[in-house]
Amino acid sequence: EESFRWVHDKVQEAAISLGNASKPSFQNEIGTALIQNLSPQELEIALFNVVDLINSGAHHHKQIVYADLNIRAAQKARRLSAFERAANYVRNGISFLPEDCWTSCKETTLRLYTVGAETELALSHTDIMESYSREVLLNEACNTMEKFPLYMVELFKLSTIDQNHEQTHHFSLS
């Protein structure tokens, strides 16, 4: 009788958990638990899964740790040439930044906007790239060295546009 009751309680807990599994808040709780309980090596291996769980239900939480995890995932995705995925992680990371992000977490904010600009340019989303670049280039809290990668993105965009213009012009002359 006692062991049956224990098994029944465990089955009931599992059923309740499965019922909640599709709820964003539950997915966020699972992601948070994984962050707290995985070793750094395990977290790196499971980074995309953990960040996807966090992103699915945490957008009302403005937590720098979530922004940091998203920039890590974006950089990892970019290294794998998964640019769309990287761009999504950047967008999510930016959504987790607090309003005072340029003072409270400047390094994370700068990395998000820089990686975002580079990734959006790789996807040929120049309008989004320019908005990310402007966020940094017009920010007085950033010094010239911090802005340098964004200047490079802008230069690369211009050189790419010039190349495309030359190719189009060349083809139209033929």
PDB file of all heavy atoms in Angstrom, residues 70-109:
ATOM      1  N   ASN A  70      22.618  34.708 -23.862  1.00  0.00           N
ATOM      2  CA  ASN A  70      22.247  34.896 -25.266  1.00  0.00           C
ATOM      3  C   ASN A  70      23.423  35.360 -26.109  1.00  0.00           C
ATOM      4  O   ASN A  70      23.571  34.920 -27.244  1.00  0.00           O
ATOM      5  CB  ASN A  70      21.063  35.856 -25.389  1.00  0.00           C
ATOM      6  CG  ASN A  70      19.751  35.121 -25.316  1.00  0.00           C
ATOM      7  OD1 ASN A  70      19.302  34.546 -26.290  1.00  0.00           O
ATOM      8  ND2 ASN A  70      19.136  35.117 -24.142  1.00  0.00           N
ATOM      9  N   ILE A  71      24.287  36.226 -25.578  1.00  0.00           N
ATOM     10  CA  ILE A  71      25.444  36.650 -26.366  1.00  0.00           C
ATOM     11  C   ILE A  71      26.398  35.478 -26.545  1.00  0.00           C
ATOM     12  O   ILE A  71      26.985  35.297 -27.609  1.00  0.00           O
ATOM     13  CB  ILE A  71      26.153  37.911 -25.803  1.00  0.00           C
ATOM     14  CG1 ILE A  71      27.195  38.433 -26.796  1.00  0.00           C
ATOM     15  CG2 ILE A  71      26.804  37.664 -24.472  1.00  0.00           C
ATOM     16  CD1 ILE A  71      26.691  38.790 -28.165  1.00  0.00           C
ATOM     17  N   ARG A  72      26.553  34.649 -25.522  1.00  0.00           N
ATOM     18  CA  ARG A  72      27.392  33.448 -25.661  1.00  0.00           C
ATOM     19  C   ARG A  72      26.830  32.522 -26.738  1.00  0.00           C
ATOM     20  O   ARG A  72      27.574  31.994 -27.576  1.00  0.00           O
ATOM     21  CB  ARG A  72      27.498  32.714 -24.332  1.00  0.00           C
ATOM     22  CG  ARG A  72      28.413  33.406 -23.338  1.00  0.00           C
ATOM     23  CD  ARG A  72      28.452  32.728 -21.990  1.00  0.00           C
ATOM     24  NE  ARG A  72      28.721  31.293 -22.065  1.00  0.00           N
ATOM     25  CZ  ARG A  72      28.550  30.466 -21.038  1.00  0.00           C
ATOM     26  NH1 ARG A  72      28.112  30.931 -19.873  1.00  0.00           N
ATOM     27  NH2 ARG A  72      28.816  29.184 -21.164  1.00  0.00           N
ATOM     28  N   ALA A  73      25.514  32.328 -26.716  1.00  0.00           N
ATOM     29  CA  ALA A  73      24.874  31.467 -27.722  1.00  0.00           C
ATOM     30  C   ALA A  73      24.999  32.078 -29.114  1.00  0.00           C
ATOM     31  O   ALA A  73      25.240  31.368 -30.097  1.00  0.00           O
ATOM     32  CB  ALA A  73      23.409  31.230 -27.363  1.00  0.00           C
ATOM     33  N   ALA A  74      24.848  33.394 -29.216  1.00  0.00           N
ATOM     34  CA  ALA A  74      24.978  34.073 -30.510  1.00  0.00           C
ATOM     35  C   ALA A  74      26.391  33.904 -31.072  1.00  0.00           C
ATOM     36  O   ALA A  74      26.565  33.623 -32.260  1.00  0.00           O
ATOM     37  CB  ALA A  74      24.639  35.558 -30.367  1.00  0.00           C
ATOM     38  N   GLN A  75      27.385  34.073 -30.227  1.00  0.00           N
ATOM     39  CA  GLN A  75      28.765  33.928 -30.688  1.00  0.00           C
ATOM     40  C   GLN A  75      29.049  32.490 -31.109  1.00  0.00           C
ATOM     41  O   GLN A  75      29.712  32.256 -32.121  1.00  0.00           O
ATOM     42  CB  GLN A  75      29.738  34.392 -29.600  1.00  0.00           C
ATOM     43  CG  GLN A  75      29.692  35.896 -29.407  1.00  0.00           C
ATOM     44  CD  GLN A  75      30.468  36.362 -28.183  1.00  0.00           C
ATOM     45  OE1 GLN A  75      30.412  35.772 -27.119  1.00  0.00           O
ATOM     46  NE2 GLN A  75      31.189  37.462 -28.348  1.00  0.00           N
ATOM     47  N   LYS A  76      28.526  31.534 -30.359  1.00  0.00           N
ATOM     48  CA  LYS A  76      28.710  30.119 -30.712  1.00  0.00           C
ATOM     49  C   LYS A  76      28.001  29.805 -32.033  1.00  0.00           C
ATOM     50  O   LYS A  76      28.565  29.141 -32.909  1.00  0.00           O
ATOM     51  CB  LYS A  76      28.178  29.236 -29.579  1.00  0.00           C
ATOM     52  CG  LYS A  76      28.423  27.758 -29.788  1.00  0.00           C
ATOM     53  CD  LYS A  76      27.982  26.949 -28.571  1.00  0.00           C
ATOM     54  CE  LYS A  76      28.289  25.477 -28.754  1.00  0.00           C
ATOM     55  NZ  LYS A  76      27.947  24.689 -27.539  1.00  0.00           N
ATOM     56  N   ALA A  77      26.784  30.286 -32.192  1.00  0.00           N
ATOM     57  CA  ALA A  77      26.035  30.058 -33.436  1.00  0.00           C
ATOM     58  C   ALA A  77      26.752  30.695 -34.624  1.00  0.00           C
ATOM     59  O   ALA A  77      26.838  30.110 -35.701  1.00  0.00           O
ATOM     60  CB  ALA A  77      24.609  30.606 -33.303  1.00  0.00           C
ATOM     61  N   ARG A  78      27.290  31.884 -34.424  1.00  0.00           N
ATOM     62  CA  ARG A  78      28.010  32.579 -35.499  1.00  0.00           C
ATOM     63  C   ARG A  78      29.249  31.787 -35.915  1.00  0.00           C
ATOM     64  O   ARG A  78      29.543  31.673 -37.100  1.00  0.00           O
ATOM     65  CB  ARG A  78      28.370  33.984 -35.056  1.00  0.00           C
ATOM     66  CG  ARG A  78      28.838  34.867 -36.192  1.00  0.00           C
ATOM     67  CD  ARG A  78      29.077  36.252 -35.735  1.00  0.00           C
ATOM     68  NE  ARG A  78      30.149  36.246 -34.733  1.00  0.00           N
ATOM     69  CZ  ARG A  78      30.758  37.327 -34.296  1.00  0.00           C
ATOM     70  NH1 ARG A  78      30.403  38.503 -34.737  1.00  0.00           N
ATOM     71  NH2 ARG A  78      31.704  37.251 -33.404  1.00  0.00           N
ATOM     72  N   ARG A  79      29.972  31.235 -34.926  1.00  0.00           N
ATOM     73  CA  ARG A  79      31.147  30.405 -35.247  1.00  0.00           C
ATOM     74  C   ARG A  79      30.753  29.200 -36.088  1.00  0.00           C
ATOM     75  O   ARG A  79      31.558  28.687 -36.866  1.00  0.00           O
ATOM     76  CB  ARG A  79      31.854  29.945 -33.965  1.00  0.00           C
ATOM     77  CG  ARG A  79      32.664  31.015 -33.284  1.00  0.00           C
ATOM     78  CD  ARG A  79      33.556  30.458 -32.176  1.00  0.00           C
ATOM     79  NE  ARG A  79      32.854  29.714 -31.161  1.00  0.00           N
ATOM     80  CZ  ARG A  79      32.312  30.243 -30.063  1.00  0.00           C
ATOM     81  NH1 ARG A  79      32.395  31.547 -29.846  1.00  0.00           N
ATOM     82  NH2 ARG A  79      31.691  29.477 -29.182  1.00  0.00           N
ATOM     83  N   LEU A  80      29.518  28.724 -35.931  1.00  0.00           N
ATOM     84  CA  LEU A  80      29.012  27.586 -36.686  1.00  0.00           C
ATOM     85  C   LEU A  80      28.332  28.020 -37.988  1.00  0.00           C
ATOM     86  O   LEU A  80      27.720  27.198 -38.667  1.00  0.00           O
ATOM     87  CB  LEU A  80      28.020  26.793 -35.826  1.00  0.00           C
ATOM     88  CG  LEU A  80      28.592  26.172 -34.556  1.00  0.00           C
ATOM     89  CD1 LEU A  80      27.470  25.624 -33.674  1.00  0.00           C
ATOM     90  CD2 LEU A  80      29.604  25.091 -34.895  1.00  0.00           C
ATOM     91  N   SER A  81      28.424  29.305 -38.295  1.00  0.00           N
ATOM     92  CA  SER A  81      27.784  29.908 -39.481  1.00  0.00           C
ATOM     93  C   SER A  81      26.266  29.788 -39.447  1.00  0.00           C
ATOM     94  O   SER A  81      25.619  29.768 -40.494  1.00  0.00           O
ATOM     95  CB  SER A  81      28.340  29.306 -40.776  1.00  0.00           C
ATOM     96  OG  SER A  81      29.723  29.570 -40.876  1.00  0.00           O
ATOM     97  N   ALA A  82      25.698  29.713 -38.270  1.00  0.00           N
ATOM     98  CA  ALA A  82      24.243  29.690 -38.104  1.00  0.00           C
ATOM     99  C   ALA A  82      23.799  31.128 -37.816  1.00  0.00           C
ATOM    100  O   ALA A  82      23.433  31.481 -36.692  1.00  0.00           O
ATOM    101  CB  ALA A  82      23.863  28.744 -36.966  1.00  0.00           C
ATOM    102  N   PHE A  83      23.851  31.964 -38.858  1.00  0.00           N
ATOM    103  CA  PHE A  83      23.659  33.396 -38.685  1.00  0.00           C
ATOM    104  C   PHE A  83      22.241  33.778 -38.265  1.00  0.00           C
ATOM    105  O   PHE A  83      22.062  34.681 -37.453  1.00  0.00           O
ATOM    106  CB  PHE A  83      24.077  34.156 -39.952  1.00  0.00           C
ATOM    107  CG  PHE A  83      25.540  34.000 -40.248  1.00  0.00           C
ATOM    108  CD1 PHE A  83      25.963  33.262 -41.343  1.00  0.00           C
ATOM    109  CD2 PHE A  83      26.498  34.573 -39.426  1.00  0.00           C
ATOM    110  CE1 PHE A  83      27.316  33.109 -41.608  1.00  0.00           C
ATOM    111  CE2 PHE A  83      27.849  34.425 -39.679  1.00  0.00           C
ATOM    112  CZ  PHE A  83      28.262  33.686 -40.777  1.00  0.00           C
ATOM    113  N   GLU A  84      21.226  33.106 -38.804  1.00  0.00           N
ATOM    114  CA  GLU A  84      19.845  33.410 -38.400  1.00  0.00           C
ATOM    115  C   GLU A  84      19.660  33.123 -36.915  1.00  0.00           C
ATOM    116  O   GLU A  84      19.059  33.922 -36.192  1.00  0.00           O
ATOM    117  CB  GLU A  84      18.831  32.601 -39.218  1.00  0.00           C
ATOM    118  CG  GLU A  84      18.624  33.091 -40.625  1.00  0.00           C
ATOM    119  CD  GLU A  84      17.865  34.411 -40.704  1.00  0.00           C
ATOM    120  OE1 GLU A  84      17.233  34.834 -39.711  1.00  0.00           O
ATOM    121  OE2 GLU A  84      17.905  35.027 -41.774  1.00  0.00           O
ATOM    122  N   ARG A  85      20.190  31.997 -36.493  1.00  0.00           N
ATOM    123  CA  ARG A  85      20.088  31.632 -35.082  1.00  0.00           C
ATOM    124  C   ARG A  85      20.845  32.637 -34.214  1.00  0.00           C
ATOM    125  O   ARG A  85      20.355  33.053 -33.165  1.00  0.00           O
ATOM    126  CB  ARG A  85      20.639  30.215 -34.892  1.00  0.00           C
ATOM    127  CG  ARG A  85      20.264  29.603 -33.590  1.00  0.00           C
ATOM    128  CD  ARG A  85      20.527  28.123 -33.589  1.00  0.00           C
ATOM    129  NE  ARG A  85      19.925  27.536 -32.400  1.00  0.00           N
ATOM    130  CZ  ARG A  85      20.037  26.288 -32.066  1.00  0.00           C
ATOM    131  NH1 ARG A  85      20.707  25.464 -32.823  1.00  0.00           N
ATOM    132  NH2 ARG A  85      19.466  25.847 -30.969  1.00  0.00           N
ATOM    133  N   ALA A  86      22.032  33.026 -34.667  1.00  0.00           N
ATOM    134  CA  ALA A  86      22.826  34.018 -33.931  1.00  0.00           C
ATOM    135  C   ALA A  86      22.057  35.331 -33.821  1.00  0.00           C
ATOM    136  O   ALA A  86      22.016  35.952 -32.752  1.00  0.00           O
ATOM    137  CB  ALA A  86      24.176  34.236 -34.615  1.00  0.00           C
ATOM    138  N   ALA A  87      21.426  35.752 -34.917  1.00  0.00           N
ATOM    139  CA  ALA A  87      20.657  37.003 -34.912  1.00  0.00           C
ATOM    140  C   ALA A  87      19.495  36.916 -33.915  1.00  0.00           C
ATOM    141  O   ALA A  87      19.204  37.888 -33.209  1.00  0.00           O
ATOM    142  CB  ALA A  87      20.141  37.310 -36.314  1.00  0.00           C
ATOM    143  N   ASN A  88      18.845  35.764 -33.838  1.00  0.00           N
ATOM    144  CA  ASN A  88      17.750  35.581 -32.870  1.00  0.00           C
ATOM    145  C   ASN A  88      18.259  35.666 -31.438  1.00  0.00           C
ATOM    146  O   ASN A  88      17.605  36.265 -30.575  1.00  0.00           O
ATOM    147  CB  ASN A  88      17.043  34.246 -33.105  1.00  0.00           C
ATOM    148  CG  ASN A  88      16.160  34.270 -34.328  1.00  0.00           C
ATOM    149  OD1 ASN A  88      15.649  35.313 -34.722  1.00  0.00           O
ATOM    150  ND2 ASN A  88      15.995  33.123 -34.961  1.00  0.00           N
ATOM    151  N   TYR A  89      19.413  35.077 -31.191  1.00  0.00           N
ATOM    152  CA  TYR A  89      19.982  35.154 -29.838  1.00  0.00           C
ATOM    153  C   TYR A  89      20.331  36.594 -29.478  1.00  0.00           C
ATOM    154  O   TYR A  89      20.121  37.029 -28.347  1.00  0.00           O
ATOM    155  CB  TYR A  89      21.197  34.244 -29.690  1.00  0.00           C
ATOM    156  CG  TYR A  89      20.856  32.775 -29.652  1.00  0.00           C
ATOM    157  CD1 TYR A  89      21.514  31.867 -30.473  1.00  0.00           C
ATOM    158  CD2 TYR A  89      19.885  32.283 -28.779  1.00  0.00           C
ATOM    159  CE1 TYR A  89      21.207  30.511 -30.435  1.00  0.00           C
ATOM    160  CE2 TYR A  89      19.571  30.925 -28.743  1.00  0.00           C
ATOM    161  CZ  TYR A  89      20.240  30.050 -29.579  1.00  0.00           C
ATOM    162  OH  TYR A  89      19.929  28.707 -29.541  1.00  0.00           O
ATOM    163  N   VAL A  90      20.840  37.353 -30.448  1.00  0.00           N
ATOM    164  CA  VAL A  90      21.148  38.766 -30.179  1.00  0.00           C
ATOM    165  C   VAL A  90      19.871  39.521 -29.835  1.00  0.00           C
ATOM    166  O   VAL A  90      19.821  40.261 -28.846  1.00  0.00           O
ATOM    167  CB  VAL A  90      21.877  39.423 -31.374  1.00  0.00           C
ATOM    168  CG1 VAL A  90      21.900  40.940 -31.229  1.00  0.00           C
ATOM    169  CG2 VAL A  90      23.294  38.877 -31.509  1.00  0.00           C
ATOM    170  N   ARG A  91      18.821  39.341 -30.636  1.00  0.00           N
ATOM    171  CA  ARG A  91      17.548  40.021 -30.367  1.00  0.00           C
ATOM    172  C   ARG A  91      17.026  39.672 -28.974  1.00  0.00           C
ATOM    173  O   ARG A  91      16.573  40.545 -28.226  1.00  0.00           O
ATOM    174  CB  ARG A  91      16.506  39.664 -31.431  1.00  0.00           C
ATOM    175  CG  ARG A  91      16.653  40.468 -32.709  1.00  0.00           C
ATOM    176  CD  ARG A  91      15.463  40.282 -33.641  1.00  0.00           C
ATOM    177  NE  ARG A  91      15.422  38.967 -34.264  1.00  0.00           N
ATOM    178  CZ  ARG A  91      16.160  38.609 -35.321  1.00  0.00           C
ATOM    179  NH1 ARG A  91      17.004  39.457 -35.852  1.00  0.00           N
ATOM    180  NH2 ARG A  91      16.047  37.403 -35.831  1.00  0.00           N
ATOM    181  N   ASN A  92      17.072  38.386 -28.632  1.00  0.00           N
ATOM    182  CA  ASN A  92      16.623  37.975 -27.298  1.00  0.00           C
ATOM    183  C   ASN A  92      17.500  38.586 -26.218  1.00  0.00           C
ATOM    184  O   ASN A  92      16.991  39.060 -25.201  1.00  0.00           O
ATOM    185  CB  ASN A  92      16.608  36.449 -27.177  1.00  0.00           C
ATOM    186  CG  ASN A  92      15.380  35.838 -27.808  1.00  0.00           C
ATOM    187  OD1 ASN A  92      14.268  36.163 -27.438  1.00  0.00           O
ATOM    188  ND2 ASN A  92      15.590  34.961 -28.769  1.00  0.00           N
ATOM    189  N   GLY A  93      18.808  38.569 -26.441  1.00  0.00           N
ATOM    190  CA  GLY A  93      19.722  39.145 -25.463  1.00  0.00           C
ATOM    191  C   GLY A  93      19.439  40.609 -25.210  1.00  0.00           C
ATOM    192  O   GLY A  93      19.401  41.066 -24.063  1.00  0.00           O
ATOM    193  N   ILE A  94      19.204  41.354 -26.283  1.00  0.00           N
ATOM    194  CA  ILE A  94      18.889  42.782 -26.154  1.00  0.00           C
ATOM    195  C   ILE A  94      17.585  42.970 -25.379  1.00  0.00           C
ATOM    196  O   ILE A  94      17.465  43.878 -24.561  1.00  0.00           O
ATOM    197  CB  ILE A  94      18.850  43.462 -27.533  1.00  0.00           C
ATOM    198  CG1 ILE A  94      20.280  43.541 -28.106  1.00  0.00           C
ATOM    199  CG2 ILE A  94      18.202  44.844 -27.466  1.00  0.00           C
ATOM    200  CD1 ILE A  94      20.360  43.976 -29.560  1.00  0.00           C
ATOM    201  N   SER A  95      16.630  42.076 -25.594  1.00  0.00           N
ATOM    202  CA  SER A  95      15.344  42.206 -24.889  1.00  0.00           C
ATOM    203  C   SER A  95      15.487  41.996 -23.379  1.00  0.00           C
ATOM    204  O   SER A  95      14.640  42.448 -22.614  1.00  0.00           O
ATOM    205  CB  SER A  95      14.307  41.231 -25.461  1.00  0.00           C
ATOM    206  OG  SER A  95      14.548  39.904 -25.018  1.00  0.00           O
ATOM    207  N   PHE A  96      16.537  41.329 -22.951  1.00  0.00           N
ATOM    208  CA  PHE A  96      16.761  41.099 -21.518  1.00  0.00           C
ATOM    209  C   PHE A  96      17.541  42.222 -20.849  1.00  0.00           C
ATOM    210  O   PHE A  96      17.703  42.226 -19.633  1.00  0.00           O
ATOM    211  CB  PHE A  96      17.507  39.778 -21.290  1.00  0.00           C
ATOM    212  CG  PHE A  96      16.684  38.564 -21.596  1.00  0.00           C
ATOM    213  CD1 PHE A  96      17.119  37.625 -22.511  1.00  0.00           C
ATOM    214  CD2 PHE A  96      15.472  38.357 -20.962  1.00  0.00           C
ATOM    215  CE1 PHE A  96      16.361  36.500 -22.792  1.00  0.00           C
ATOM    216  CE2 PHE A  96      14.707  37.235 -21.243  1.00  0.00           C
ATOM    217  CZ  PHE A  96      15.154  36.300 -22.162  1.00  0.00           C
ATOM    218  N   LEU A  97      18.057  43.161 -21.630  1.00  0.00           N
ATOM    219  CA  LEU A  97      18.841  44.247 -21.053  1.00  0.00           C
ATOM    220  C   LEU A  97      17.956  45.214 -20.275  1.00  0.00           C
ATOM    221  O   LEU A  97      16.861  45.552 -20.726  1.00  0.00           O
ATOM    222  CB  LEU A  97      19.576  45.028 -22.154  1.00  0.00           C
ATOM    223  CG  LEU A  97      20.680  44.274 -22.892  1.00  0.00           C
ATOM    224  CD1 LEU A  97      21.177  45.108 -24.073  1.00  0.00           C
ATOM    225  CD2 LEU A  97      21.823  43.918 -21.955  1.00  0.00           C
ATOM    226  N   PRO A  98      18.444  45.680 -19.142  1.00  0.00           N
ATOM    227  CA  PRO A  98      17.675  46.683 -18.389  1.00  0.00           C
ATOM    228  C   PRO A  98      17.761  48.044 -19.087  1.00  0.00           C
ATOM    229  O   PRO A  98      18.607  48.248 -19.973  1.00  0.00           O
ATOM    230  CB  PRO A  98      18.381  46.725 -17.029  1.00  0.00           C
ATOM    231  CG  PRO A  98      19.772  46.271 -17.312  1.00  0.00           C
ATOM    232  CD  PRO A  98      19.676  45.307 -18.460  1.00  0.00           C
ATOM    233  N   GLU A  99      16.884  48.962 -18.704  1.00  0.00           N
ATOM    234  CA  GLU A  99      16.876  50.284 -19.338  1.00  0.00           C
ATOM    235  C   GLU A  99      18.202  51.018 -19.190  1.00  0.00           C
ATOM    236  O   GLU A  99      18.603  51.754 -20.078  1.00  0.00           O
ATOM    237  CB  GLU A  99      15.735  51.128 -18.772  1.00  0.00           C
ATOM    238  CG  GLU A  99      14.383  50.710 -19.298  1.00  0.00           C
ATOM    239  CD  GLU A  99      13.281  51.653 -18.872  1.00  0.00           C
ATOM    240  OE1 GLU A  99      13.542  52.871 -18.767  1.00  0.00           O
ATOM    241  OE2 GLU A  99      12.166  51.170 -18.651  1.00  0.00           O
ATOM    242  N   ASP A 100      18.887  50.804 -18.077  1.00  0.00           N
ATOM    243  CA  ASP A 100      20.167  51.482 -17.844  1.00  0.00           C
ATOM    244  C   ASP A 100      21.361  50.625 -18.291  1.00  0.00           C
ATOM    245  O   ASP A 100      22.437  50.688 -17.709  1.00  0.00           O
ATOM    246  CB  ASP A 100      20.312  51.853 -16.366  1.00  0.00           C
ATOM    247  CG  ASP A 100      20.479  50.638 -15.471  1.00  0.00           C
ATOM    248  OD1 ASP A 100      20.126  49.504 -15.902  1.00  0.00           O
ATOM    249  OD2 ASP A 100      20.976  50.792 -14.337  1.00  0.00           O
ATOM    250  N   CYS A 101      21.152  49.832 -19.340  1.00  0.00           N
ATOM    251  CA  CYS A 101      22.149  48.852 -19.765  1.00  0.00           C
ATOM    252  C   CYS A 101      23.525  49.444 -20.070  1.00  0.00           C
ATOM    253  O   CYS A 101      24.540  48.792 -19.845  1.00  0.00           O
ATOM    254  CB  CYS A 101      21.644  48.056 -20.958  1.00  0.00           C
ATOM    255  SG  CYS A 101      21.268  49.037 -22.419  1.00  0.00           S
ATOM    256  N   TRP A 102      23.569  50.686 -20.555  1.00  0.00           N
ATOM    257  CA  TRP A 102      24.874  51.272 -20.905  1.00  0.00           C
ATOM    258  C   TRP A 102      25.676  51.657 -19.662  1.00  0.00           C
ATOM    259  O   TRP A 102      26.877  51.873 -19.757  1.00  0.00           O
ATOM    260  CB  TRP A 102      24.712  52.460 -21.849  1.00  0.00           C
ATOM    261  CG  TRP A 102      24.376  51.995 -23.228  1.00  0.00           C
ATOM    262  CD1 TRP A 102      23.156  52.095 -23.853  1.00  0.00           C
ATOM    263  CD2 TRP A 102      25.228  51.317 -24.157  1.00  0.00           C
ATOM    264  NE1 TRP A 102      23.216  51.528 -25.102  1.00  0.00           N
ATOM    265  CE2 TRP A 102      24.478  51.050 -25.315  1.00  0.00           C
ATOM    266  CE3 TRP A 102      26.561  50.910 -24.121  1.00  0.00           C
ATOM    267  CZ2 TRP A 102      25.004  50.391 -26.433  1.00  0.00           C
ATOM    268  CZ3 TRP A 102      27.093  50.253 -25.232  1.00  0.00           C
ATOM    269  CH2 TRP A 102      26.315  50.005 -26.372  1.00  0.00           C
ATOM    270  N   THR A 103      25.023  51.686 -18.517  1.00  0.00           N
ATOM    271  CA  THR A 103      25.772  51.933 -17.278  1.00  0.00           C
ATOM    272  C   THR A 103      25.860  50.672 -16.419  1.00  0.00           C
ATOM    273  O   THR A 103      26.902  50.405 -15.840  1.00  0.00           O
ATOM    274  CB  THR A 103      25.153  53.084 -16.453  1.00  0.00           C
ATOM    275  OG1 THR A 103      23.768  52.814 -16.245  1.00  0.00           O
ATOM    276  CG2 THR A 103      25.317  54.414 -17.157  1.00  0.00           C
ATOM    277  N   SER A 104      24.800  49.888 -16.356  1.00  0.00           N
ATOM    278  CA  SER A 104      24.795  48.721 -15.463  1.00  0.00           C
ATOM    279  C   SER A 104      25.489  47.492 -16.051  1.00  0.00           C
ATOM    280  O   SER A 104      26.008  46.667 -15.304  1.00  0.00           O
ATOM    281  CB  SER A 104      23.370  48.362 -15.063  1.00  0.00           C
ATOM    282  OG  SER A 104      22.637  47.913 -16.177  1.00  0.00           O
ATOM    283  N   CYS A 105      25.490  47.350 -17.370  1.00  0.00           N
ATOM    284  CA  CYS A 105      26.107  46.168 -17.994  1.00  0.00           C
ATOM    285  C   CYS A 105      26.637  46.542 -19.384  1.00  0.00           C
ATOM    286  O   CYS A 105      26.264  45.951 -20.390  1.00  0.00           O
ATOM    287  CB  CYS A 105      25.128  45.007 -18.064  1.00  0.00           C
ATOM    288  SG  CYS A 105      23.554  45.367 -18.866  1.00  0.00           S
ATOM    289  N   LYS A 106      27.503  47.524 -19.403  1.00  0.00           N
ATOM    290  CA  LYS A 106      28.020  48.081 -20.649  1.00  0.00           C
ATOM    291  C   LYS A 106      28.708  47.036 -21.527  1.00  0.00           C
ATOM    292  O   LYS A 106      28.488  46.992 -22.740  1.00  0.00           O
ATOM    293  CB  LYS A 106      28.991  49.222 -20.345  1.00  0.00           C
ATOM    294  CG  LYS A 106      29.566  49.873 -21.582  1.00  0.00           C
ATOM    295  CD  LYS A 106      30.525  50.989 -21.203  1.00  0.00           C
ATOM    296  CE  LYS A 106      31.218  51.544 -22.425  1.00  0.00           C
ATOM    297  NZ  LYS A 106      32.199  52.569 -22.052  1.00  0.00           N
ATOM    298  N   GLU A 107      29.534  46.179 -20.926  1.00  0.00           N
ATOM    299  CA  GLU A 107      30.283  45.193 -21.718  1.00  0.00           C
ATOM    300  C   GLU A 107      29.345  44.235 -22.459  1.00  0.00           C
ATOM    301  O   GLU A 107      29.498  43.995 -23.649  1.00  0.00           O
ATOM    302  CB  GLU A 107      31.236  44.413 -20.817  1.00  0.00           C
ATOM    303  CG  GLU A 107      32.102  43.443 -21.588  1.00  0.00           C
ATOM    304  CD  GLU A 107      33.048  42.671 -20.677  1.00  0.00           C
ATOM    305  OE1 GLU A 107      33.552  43.246 -19.700  1.00  0.00           O
ATOM    306  OE2 GLU A 107      33.267  41.478 -20.963  1.00  0.00           O
ATOM    307  N   THR A 108      28.358  43.701 -21.753  1.00  0.00           N
ATOM    308  CA  THR A 108      27.390  42.797 -22.381  1.00  0.00           C
ATOM    309  C   THR A 108      26.596  43.534 -23.454  1.00  0.00           C
ATOM    310  O   THR A 108      26.380  43.003 -24.546  1.00  0.00           O
ATOM    311  CB  THR A 108      26.434  42.215 -21.314  1.00  0.00           C
ATOM    312  OG1 THR A 108      27.203  41.465 -20.379  1.00  0.00           O
ATOM    313  CG2 THR A 108      25.363  41.343 -21.937  1.00  0.00           C
ATOM    314  N   THR A 109      26.171  44.747 -23.162  1.00  0.00           N
ATOM    315  CA  THR A 109      25.399  45.543 -24.120  1.00  0.00           C
ATOM    316  C   THR A 109      26.219  45.797 -25.379  1.00  0.00           C
ATOM    317  O   THR A 109      25.730  45.599 -26.499  1.00  0.00           O
ATOM    318  CB  THR A 109      24.966  46.874 -23.475  1.00  0.00           C
ATOM    319  OG1 THR A 109      24.224  46.587 -22.284  1.00  0.00           O
ATOM    320  CG2 THR A 109      24.118  47.700 -24.423  1.00  0.00           C
TER     321      THR A 109
END
